[in-house]
Amino acid sequence: MFRNLTLPRRPPSFAHSPRIPGKIRSLIYYDAFVPEDGKAMVDCMEAANRAHYEAGRDADRLLEPIPMAAFGVTDPAVLDFVTPRIGGQPWRTFFEPVPVSPDIASVPQTYILCTEWGIPSPMTRFVPVMEARGARIVTIAGSHLSMLTEPEETLEAILATP
């Protein structure tokens, strides 16, 4: 039934995995936050970075998108294509607690880490968590949005997952 299921990459996608652990062939975490059971994405953030998200929550409004340049996306052709398609994100997606199945390690997992953000990647701290789960770690020398800046490498990394 779920043979070719593709889950979205935003945090609520993690919530589906404990409900169908025997029916998922594999999980791919693309430069993602990896919350502990019952924690939300904001719980994984450093305190200095939470203010933006808390302000959106407190005002009950969509969160403004982070500028593409912050992720290393500077190619004018890519920006012309992407910019009109970017919108705000509901604050609740960052505050929703995520259930994690106790047998999550039984599902083959790959963690794709993008290493060229222009700033130190906040995602590197999740590599040990994923290694403890037995995940395959793949690095892409690209930004958090490597699907835009390094599309071929991103596609190769995804297609090479078990």
Side-chain angles (χ1 to χ4, degrees), residues 49-137:
N49 296 331
R50 291 180 61 125
H52 170 73
Y53 303 93
E54 291 170 345
R57 178 199 59 200
D58 295 347
D60 194 23
R61 62 170 167 75
L62 293 175
L63 297 171
E64 292 297 319
I66 298 170
M68 293 291 100
F71 295 115
V73 180
T74 57
D75 181 325
V78 173
L79 289 171
D80 288 346
F81 173 76
V82 172
T83 302
R85 293 165 173 81
I86 298 173
Q89 186 168 350
W91 63 264
R92 286 177 180 85
T93 61
F94 297 93
F95 287 85
E96 179 181 348
V98 177
V100 178
S101 173
D103 58 343
I104 190 78
S106 67
V107 177
Q109 297 172 57
T110 299
Y111 190 90
I112 299 174
L113 177 68
C114 299
T115 60
E116 302 295 325
W117 279 45
I119 60 169
S121 169
M123 304 306 175
T124 56
R125 69 175 168 262
F126 300 110
V127 170
V129 173
M130 296 306 294
E131 287 174 332
R133 291 184 184 176
R136 182 173 155 260
I137 309 298

Side-chain angles (χ1 to χ4, degrees), residues 33 44 47 72 86 148:
F33 283 90
C44 299
I86 298 173
L148 299 173

